[in-house]
Amino acid sequence: MYDMRDIGNACKRYRQYLGKTQLDVAGDLGYTSKAISGFECGRSYNALILLWYVDHGIDLFGILKGGANCGTNTLYHGAKYKRFN
């Protein structure tokens, strides 16, 4: 079973992989960086924040299938397969 900490942690690592800051995500969505931090730490759930990550290429099915903390997460960004740890 997955909780929001797993998904939030994977989103955080993906954001860092993209070279974006929490402030970048917050600015795109009109939220504060504190709201992004809360989502990434699993303290809050916000579908719009989650959709930002989906829109930027994260593969939620891959996270749920492989586990957010496994060492072989493969995420899809555009047409290219990218691996990050």
Side-chain angles (χ1 to χ4, degrees), residues 40-77:
E40 290 181 349
C41 292
R43 291 187 307 267
S44 67
Y45 175 77
N46 186 314
L48 292 177
I49 294 173
L50 181 60
L51 286 175
W52 184 93
Y53 292 94
V54 171
D55 187 49
H56 284 81
I58 198 168
D59 177 28
L60 290 179
F61 295 113
I63 292 168
L64 296 176
K65 185 173 103 177
N69 295 318
C70 76
T72 59
N73 280 337
T74 302
L75 302 180
Y76 308 96
H77 187 260

Side-chain angles (χ1 to χ4, degrees), residues 14 24-25 55 75:
Y14 189 68
D24 294 330
V25 177
D55 187 49
L75 302 180

Side-chain angles (χ1 to χ4, degrees), residues 5-50:
R5 287 178 296 187
D6 295 329
I7 294 171
N9 183 45
C11 288
K12 174 184 176 180
R13 293 183 321 168
Y14 189 68
R15 172 185 54 77
Q16 292 170 336
Y17 169 78
L18 293 175
K20 301 279 188 177
T21 65
Q22 289 179 344
L23 202 54
D24 294 330
V25 177
D28 288 350
L29 294 172
Y31 286 101
T32 64
S33 59
K34 185 175 180 179
I36 306 305
S37 174
F39 173 80
E40 290 181 349
C41 292
R43 291 187 307 267
S44 67
Y45 175 77
N46 186 314
L48 292 177
I49 294 173
L50 181 60

